[in-house]
Amino acid sequence: MTLTYQAPLRDMRFVMDEWLDAASWWRDVPDWQDLDSPTAQQVLEEAARFVEERIAPLNASADLEGCRFDAGKVTTPAGFRESYAEFVEAGWPTLSLDAGHGGQGLPQLLDVALQEMLAGANHAWLMSPGLTHGATACLQTYGSERVKKALLPKVASGEWLSTMCLTEPQAGSDVGLIRSRATEAPGTDGYFIDGSKIFISGGAHDMTENIVHLVLARGPDAPPGTKGLSLFVVPEWLEDGDGGRSCNGVYCEGIEKKMGLKGSPTCTMRFERAFGWLVGEAHRGLACLFVMMNAARLQVAMQGLGHAHTAWQRAHAYAQERAQMRAVSVPPGANVAPGKAAPIAFHPAMRRILMELRAIVEGERAIGYWTAHWLDIAARHADVAEREQAAQLASLLTPIAKAFFTANGYGAASNALQVFGGYGYIHEYGIEQTLRDSRVSMLYEGTNEIQAIDLLIRKVLPDGAVAFDVLLRQVRAEARLCQESDPPVRAAGAKLAELAQTVESTTRSIKARHAQDPETAYRVADDYLAMLGWMLLAFAWARALRIATPQCEAETFYVEKRETGRFFFDYPLAAFAYRRSLVAAGCEATLPYV
């Protein structure tokens, strides 16, 4: 029985090589002309080896041990510090970092696959280094020359870890209520930061010698609300240039006792005349954080996928070996004596759960990697217009992926636990930890409700919402290709075209109703996002069916891909109609106050 994490390398290769055909585009990028599919797969295989051997084995023990807080110091679980040092030494934090800043310069697509592995193997371990990519992008884009020289190289390499300090007790998602203040430090080019922040992942730990905090605060003469927020970079320790260092007025006042992710310290931080430098322009802090938050939200989406994959993998392995009751039917060639108990994987109720898990996991992997591929196009395409369109599409897909994947990650863990029965409720089988660890992903980096509002209010309904039209064109183009393909694929193409039309007409209805009732879009946003999520899974599976069906005689993998795709269109896709009905109800109903 396989209850330890195993990276899904075969499906990753399918998505990159066949579903995306990424290598053919890499050849058009000067820096990637030598990057081909075999090389990319070697990178992923080496990443999988490291994750499976060094990171995954720490998952269960870290959950039991947790983090320790003593007099302002935080100690992470056994093995975290050592394995992170190996992670940095191997160069994994710099995988997709620009070569000009000391990185390996590989596509974000490969980094996203690495993030999926790390999240599926040990989400708590990932939490501390999770912001490295986003913090690097933020400092690289908006940092002063002094910051780029003094801090960026160590942040980018992973030698120093970083945090994002936004939340305060009175200011959760409403950052306009932030009270932390910044005052000019006389005789310097910096500021003193004073204030308290809560829920800071990795705010204090023993994994690196220094921690670099990106802090939202109000500068001198700041206007109220979000327009008065500036971003500052504040190291925990200040270096004096002679090899010495001094405490910088950054204090951890405690760590949270949490439902899950017990191996990750979630800290309450106090800044007391902590010296820092302005990042970007004054009063433009949220704009500077945008780069960091987008990267963080896609990573959170991959956490949802990682949890769903781990849940599917554990449940599938357990169901194949656990024998209970006689089966109504058994697959051809099954070695089950008449009248004897059969593996629970043969029972219809369990087969349904397992197939739904697989369909969601493999469909989301395609969409998650597709989003990362658009980010690569946005960064590297030779044509400016193509870069802009790719960036818009990635920006549209990001809130869908973050909310849809994380909701499904938690749901997948719960459904997988059901496969284990009573054994799933105890720690030794691992699935109850996956259930607990996965829940927070629906909350941070903007709750899923905020993602839905961002999608509908800011990115779909406004006039000139180019990305939404581009997305529908992509979906319809795939539908046409499927309808021109082998007979078994045509039905999927027809259904995909129908879904695109339904999404378009539903969007028009919401827009018309919202003009009359300004609460409409806010009421239906969650169900609308889920509806788009199911359409994207249908898009993923239609393309997978079109690719796999002609190759079913070549490899069992393609047979399984075809059967899972057929199942998706026959069964789980019914959720699209359910969400569509809730959107329709929300357009007409009103919500009472409670």
Side-chain angles (χ1 to χ4, degrees):
M1 185 185 302
T2 302
L3 293 180
T4 56
Y5 178 81
Q6 290 184 330
L9 290 173
R10 180 64 185 91
D11 199 52
M12 288 178 168
R13 188 168 80 244
F14 170 78
V15 174
M16 291 186 185
D17 290 355
E18 300 179 74
W19 200 95
L20 286 172
D21 190 19
S24 66
W25 184 75
W26 293 340
R27 287 193 292 269
D28 293 332
V29 179
D31 291 341
W32 296 341
Q33 288 179 346
D34 294 331
L35 177 63
D36 56 14
S37 177
T39 303
Q41 292 308 313
Q42 287 176 5
V43 171
L44 294 182
E45 287 169 6
E46 187 60 25
R49 184 200 62 77
F50 180 84
V51 170
E52 291 170 2
E53 294 179 4
R54 295 295 293 121
I55 306 302
L58 303 174
N59 190 44
S61 59
D63 183 60
L64 294 176
E65 180 184 349
C67 295
R68 299 188 301 279
F69 175 80
D70 183 26
K73 304 297 182 183
V74 176
T75 304
T76 54
F80 272 37
R81 179 182 175 89
E82 295 79 8
S83 59
Y84 180 71
E86 295 174 26
F87 185 74
V88 173
E89 184 178 359
W92 293 116
T94 67
L95 189 66
S96 62
L97 179 65
D98 192 298
H101 292 275
Q104 300 175 55
L106 292 173
Q108 288 198 49
L109 175 58
L110 296 181
D111 190 69
V112 161
L114 171 63
Q115 299 302 320
E116 179 198 341
M117 293 186 211
L118 290 169
N122 192 332
H123 185 182
W125 185 95
L126 173 62
M127 288 300 293
S128 289
L131 288 175
T132 295
H133 182 79
T136 299
C138 181
L139 295 180
Q140 182 177 314
T141 305
Y142 296 107
S144 65
E145 290 305 312
R146 175 165 181 168
V147 166
K148 289 179 180 179
K149 182 179 179 180
L151 303 180
L152 180 57
K154 294 187 177 183
V155 171
S157 69
E159 181 180 347
W160 292 352
L161 284 171
S162 52
T163 74
M164 184 163 56
C165 296
L166 279 66
T167 307
E168 298 180 5
Q170 80 292 342
S173 297
D174 188 356
V175 294
L177 300 178
I178 282 175
R179 296 173 183 164
S180 294
R181 308 294 301 187
T183 55
E184 293 184 5
T188 75
D189 60 349
Y191 294 79
F192 290 125
I193 312 299
D194 292 276
S196 295
K197 300 288 183 176
I198 62 172
F199 300 156
I200 307 306
S201 298
H205 53 69
D206 58 354
M207 293 172 70
T208 57
E209 294 183 354
N210 204 352
I211 302 172
V212 175
H213 302 278
L214 285 161
V215 186
L216 270 186
R218 297 191 178 281
D221 304 317
T226 58
K227 293 181 179 179
L229 295 175
S230 300
L231 184 65
F232 301 87
V233 57
V234 183
E236 179 186 16
W237 296 89
L238 290 175
E239 297 183 323
D240 60 16
D242 296 321
R245 66 176 191 168
S246 59
C247 180
N248 188 27
V250 179
Y251 306 99
C252 177
E253 298 193 316
I255 58 176
E256 301 296 341
K257 183 178 176 61
K258 308 190 297 291
M259 172 181 175
L261 297 183
K262 296 180 182 294
S264 166
T266 304
C267 304
T268 298
M269 304 298 297
R270 174 168 54 88
F271 296 87
E272 188 173 300
R273 286 183 65 78
F275 185 83
W277 293 274
L278 180 69
V279 177
E281 299 178 20
H283 314 321
R284 296 276 296 165
L286 287 180
C288 297
L289 272 180
F290 183 77
V291 172
M292 189 174 185
M293 294 176 73
N294 256 1
R297 285 170 178 170
L298 180 55
Q299 186 191 89
V300 174
M302 303 316 289
Q303 291 170 9
L305 171 57
H307 285 302
H309 170 77
T310 297
W312 140 253
Q313 188 178 79
R314 289 178 181 269
H316 180 262
Y318 180 83
Q320 295 296 326
E321 295 193 12
R322 177 67 169 173
Q324 293 277 281
M325 300 176 289
R326 287 175 290 175
V328 177
S329 63
V330 298
N335 185 22
V336 178
K340 298 296 184 180
I344 62 174
F346 294 172
H347 299 308
M350 296 297 100
R351 295 207 320 262
R352 173 186 168 181
I353 291 176
L354 294 172
M355 286 300 296
E356 285 182 345
L357 290 175
R358 180 171 189 160
I360 288 171
V361 166
E362 294 183 6
E364 287 184 350
R365 182 169 294 120
I367 297 304
Y369 290 14
W370 192 51
T371 304
H373 189 54
W374 283 117
L375 288 173
D376 285 330
I377 294 172
R380 299 282 189 155
H381 201 285
D383 184 83
V384 174
E386 292 288 343
R387 291 201 301 270
E388 290 177 353
Q389 180 174 282
Q392 289 174 327
L393 187 52
S395 180
L396 178 76
L397 291 170
T398 297
I400 303 174
K402 191 278 180 185
F404 191 67
F405 288 16
T406 57
N408 285 335
Y410 180 67
S414 181
N415 289 336
L417 191 151
Q418 197 72 15
V419 174
F420 284 83
Y423 286 109
Y425 205 64
I426 61 178
H427 187 268
E428 286 80 358
Y429 284 78
I431 193 64
E432 63 85 28
Q433 181 187 345
T434 301
L435 183 65
R436 289 185 286 107
D437 287 352
S438 64
R439 186 58 181 88
V440 74
S441 299
M442 299 169 66
L443 301 175
Y444 57 31
E445 301 309 334
T447 65
N448 286 2
E449 292 78 9
I450 287 176
Q451 303 299 322
I453 291 169
D454 174 55
L455 171 71
L456 186 54
I457 301 293
R458 298 187 180 94
K459 295 176 178 174
V460 172
L461 291 186
D463 293 334
V466 175
F468 180 67
D469 293 334
V470 173
L471 175 62
L472 289 183
R473 286 201 301 271
Q474 292 279 333
V475 172
R476 285 172 167 143
E478 182 58 49
R480 286 192 296 271
L481 289 173
C482 289
Q483 289 174 295
E484 297 167 358
S485 186
D486 299 328
V489 184
R490 292 175 189 167
K495 183 63 177 178
L496 184 59
E498 177 188 326
L499 296 181
Q501 182 58 40
T502 301
V503 165
E504 185 176 40
S505 61
T506 300
T507 305
R508 286 198 302 267
S509 297
I510 295 171
K511 190 170 186 177
R513 180 65 178 169
H514 189 68
Q516 303 171 12
D517 176 6
E519 265 202 357
T520 300
Y522 293 90
R523 287 197 301 268
V524 305
D526 291 333
D527 294 306
Y528 180 83
L529 183 146
M531 190 176 73
L532 262 62
W534 287 107
M535 180 189 71
L536 286 171
L537 286 191
F539 169 69
W541 277 111
R543 180 175 290 184
L545 276 170
R546 179 171 60 83
I547 295 168
T549 299
Q551 303 186 71
C552 284
E553 294 183 3
E555 186 182 343
T556 303
F557 172 85
Y558 295 108
V559 177
E560 294 175 347
K561 186 68 72 173
R562 180 192 64 190
E563 294 308 308
T564 307
R566 286 177 173 175
F567 169 80
F568 174 82
F569 280 95
D570 289 342
Y571 219 136
L573 189 54
F576 176 92
Y578 170 65
R579 291 293 189 170
R580 168 66 184 87
S581 68
L582 290 178
V583 170
C587 282
E588 300 301 327
T590 57
L591 292 175
Y593 292 95
V594 293

